[in-house]
Amino acid sequence: DPENLIWASQALPGRREREQLFLELWKKAEVKDLDEQTFIIVAGMLGNKDIYNAVRPILEQREKAQKHVSLAIKNMNQVQSDELTRLLMEPIRHLLQSKKRPLQHLGLEAVGKLKIDGLRNAVISLIDGISTGETLNLVLHALENRPKENKDIFMQFAKDETLELELRASAIQTLSKADTQAAHGILSGWISELRETQQKSVTGILSNAVEGSVLLKQLYEKEQVTSKAFDISTAEKIHKADEKDIRGISLLDAVKNRMEEEKKAFDAKLEHFLAVAAKKDGNPDNGEKLFQTCLLCHRVGDQGQDIAPALDGSALRGDEALLTALLDPDAALESGYAVYRVVGKNGDTQEGYLAKRDNRGTTLAFMGGGTAFIPVGDIRSEGFLGGRSFMPKGLIDQYSEEQVSDLLAYINTLK
């Protein structure tokens, strides 16, 4: 009875006495399965050799691999130990060798989170031409505990132009722990080709490790990237990695100065257009004509497209919120409406709004209502481009004051 085992683990004041009582009841109970609470208790007693040997037949059962490995991951902070890792080695190997992708992923997650050595070949075997971005990301984390041993694999990932940005950046970060020079060579040739928002995603990932921070300081020092490739959080992490490094100090100062200038410029532009809006002399009929561009992605009532959030009720947002969204869409980005990128196995890349994703494949939508379906078998990697709105910047930069006033006048009719 699991309740008796739980009671035995708590009944007596001394650890040895509790473990002895637990062991006696375990043998009598002929336990066939472990619930979550009993699993946690058993895991905490594996330092006792007799208990280790007693529970070993159950924890090593292949048919219970999914359950026990899931429990170990879920309760890592309570159960992780060298003894439990040894007992779960074969169950995890069994998951990695499964033909079912979800079980493979569970095995990879366990290798990475439990920092398991000895399953390298089983992990590497999951790298093939049909590996998804999710699989490869889990493989990367499963191998990163031994960067020098897995250097060639990280090099392969770091050079692969078809991989999603975050995965490739993570591979470069891990490669830097084994070969800084090789990582620098790949990164310097790649990052200059990226857009500003993409550069910020890459630097944000690399700054999470000391080695990655060193790479970024080298790039900045050699003017291979500018301060625009860094946000304040990234610059602060790089600085804190070595507070005496003058390169990190210089970078942080540059980012702070840039942000101050950008804020001043944005505030000035916003203040200007708010003054225009305050006159309330816009012509909504003319504004409706300008608004047709918005309907290429947004919907109002029964008009427009469902690519971006519906704009019904926009009048309630106020002029400042409306102008902020128009001037800087990335700052007003809503969850789920970032640009979505799909990289095909042939190397082709498509970017749009994620309209649908299921076990058949991914459907992207584009401005104007066009769509494209990419079958799951043709996809190498896919994912959102962090911080980048599907809505392009600068939509009203070329508008006259009269046009901005007209557009806002119409939007303010959308009650």
Side-chain angles (χ1 to χ4, degrees):
D1 187 342
E3 291 186 4
N4 286 335
L5 292 171
I6 294 170
W7 170 80
S9 70
Q10 303 169 343
L12 299 174
R15 179 176 62 83
R16 291 184 180 180
E17 290 80 3
R18 289 197 303 271
E19 291 179 353
Q20 185 59 38
L21 178 58
F22 178 90
L23 190 58
E24 291 174 4
L25 290 174
W26 176 274
K27 293 176 180 178
K28 293 178 181 179
E30 297 182 355
V31 177
K32 304 295 183 183
D33 197 14
L34 299 177
D35 60 23
E36 184 169 356
Q37 190 173 3
T38 309
F39 178 88
I40 294 171
I41 290 170
V42 166
M45 295 182 170
L46 293 177
N48 183 310
K49 185 177 180 180
D50 292 330
I51 292 179
Y52 179 94
N53 290 327
V55 303
R56 181 172 184 169
I58 288 183
L59 289 178
E60 288 187 340
Q61 288 179 2
R62 288 189 167 191
E63 58 270 25
K64 299 288 179 62
Q66 182 177 5
K67 177 181 180 180
H68 292 158
V69 172
S70 296
L71 288 175
I73 293 174
K74 180 181 178 181
N75 300 285
M76 269 184 60
N77 62 324
Q78 299 181 69
V79 304
Q80 190 170 11
S81 67
D82 292 341
E83 292 82 7
L84 181 62
T85 296
R86 285 198 297 271
L87 289 177
L88 292 180
M89 281 277 286
E90 289 309 311
I92 293 172
R93 188 192 305 275
H94 175 67
L95 293 174
L96 294 173
Q97 293 173 343
S98 170
K99 300 299 182 182
K100 297 180 179 179
R101 188 71 74 181
L103 296 184
Q104 294 175 354
H105 287 180
L106 177 60
L108 288 170
E109 184 182 4
V111 173
K113 289 187 174 179
L114 301 178
K115 300 187 184 303
I116 294 176
D117 294 325
L119 294 176
R120 182 176 185 271
N121 290 338
V123 169
I124 292 175
S125 69
L126 298 179
I127 304 173
D128 54 40
I130 62 172
S131 296
T132 63
E134 182 181 3
T135 299
L136 294 176
N137 187 52
L138 288 167
V139 167
L140 176 64
H141 289 300
L143 298 176
E144 67 182 359
N145 194 42
R146 289 182 172 269
K148 291 186 178 180
E149 181 180 348
N150 298 302
K151 171 184 169 181
D152 290 345
I153 296 171
F154 300 141
M155 184 88 74
Q156 174 187 333
F157 282 19
K159 290 181 177 180
D160 192 338
E161 296 180 357
T162 68
L163 294 184
E164 58 192 76
L165 182 143
E166 288 78 8
L167 176 55
R168 194 174 176 191
S170 295
I172 291 175
Q173 181 201 53
T174 308
L175 175 62
S176 69
K177 298 178 181 180
D179 190 332
T180 303
Q181 186 174 355
H184 180 271
I186 295 170
L187 178 61
S188 61
W190 175 47
I191 197 167
S192 60
E193 302 172 355
L194 301 178
R195 288 184 287 268
E196 185 179 307
T197 54
Q198 293 174 311
Q199 288 183 344
K200 286 183 177 179
S201 295
V202 171
T203 60
I205 291 170
L206 288 167
S207 65
N208 289 323
V210 173
E211 295 85 356
S213 294
V214 171
L215 290 181
L216 295 175
K217 285 184 285 191
Q218 290 174 345
L219 291 179
Y220 179 69
E221 182 182 29
K222 295 179 180 179
E223 299 183 350
Q224 292 172 306
V225 292
T226 70
S227 69
K228 292 183 178 181
F230 305 84
D231 59 28
I232 189 64
S233 175
T234 298
E236 287 176 343
K237 285 189 288 186
I238 292 171
H239 170 58
K240 289 180 179 178
D242 184 353
E243 295 184 352
K244 296 181 180 180
D245 191 330
I246 193 171
R247 297 173 301 177
I249 297 172
S250 173
L251 172 60
L252 181 58
D253 288 342
V255 172
K256 287 180 177 179
N257 292 335
R258 189 200 79 228
M259 291 184 65
E260 289 178 4
E261 292 301 317
E262 289 177 352
K263 187 177 187 306
K264 287 179 182 178
F266 177 83
D267 288 346
K269 188 182 293 186
L270 179 61
E271 184 178 353
H272 171 73
F273 283 124
L274 281 173
V276 171
K279 296 178 182 179
K280 302 295 182 183
D281 59 357
N283 185 324
D285 292 333
N286 292 337
E288 184 176 9
K289 297 174 184 176
L290 296 170
F291 188 78
Q292 298 309 302
T293 300
C294 304
L295 295 179
L296 293 173
C297 294
H298 298 273
R299 176 175 289 276
V300 173
D302 59 356
Q303 296 184 333
Q305 304 293 332
D306 287 322
I307 294 174
L311 296 180
D312 301 275
S314 291
L316 301 176
R317 298 181 64 184
D319 289 337
E320 184 171 350
L322 290 172
L323 284 167
T324 298
L326 288 168
L327 293 169
D328 189 4
D330 292 346
L333 179 63
E334 294 185 31
S335 176
Y337 290 99
V339 173
Y340 196 81
R341 171 184 288 174
V342 176
V343 179
K345 290 180 179 175
N346 61 359
D348 292 344
T349 299
Q350 297 190 63
E351 293 180 359
Y353 163 71
L354 177 61
K356 184 179 181 181
R357 183 188 180 196
D358 55 29
N359 57 9
R360 296 188 308 110
T362 296
T363 300
L364 295 179
F366 309 100
M367 185 178 291
T371 61
F373 174 73
I374 306 96
V376 66
D378 294 341
I379 297 173
R380 173 66 168 176
S381 64
E382 57 185 317
F384 289 102
L385 299 185
R388 183 181 160 202
S389 172
F390 186 75
M391 179 176 169
K393 289 185 178 182
L395 283 178
I396 64 171
D397 283 355
Q398 304 305 316
Y399 281 13
S400 66
E401 291 185 2
E402 182 180 356
Q403 287 175 313
V404 172
S405 183
D406 291 345
L407 179 60
L408 290 174
Y410 174 73
I411 293 176
N412 279 316
T413 68
L414 305 177
K415 305 294 185 180

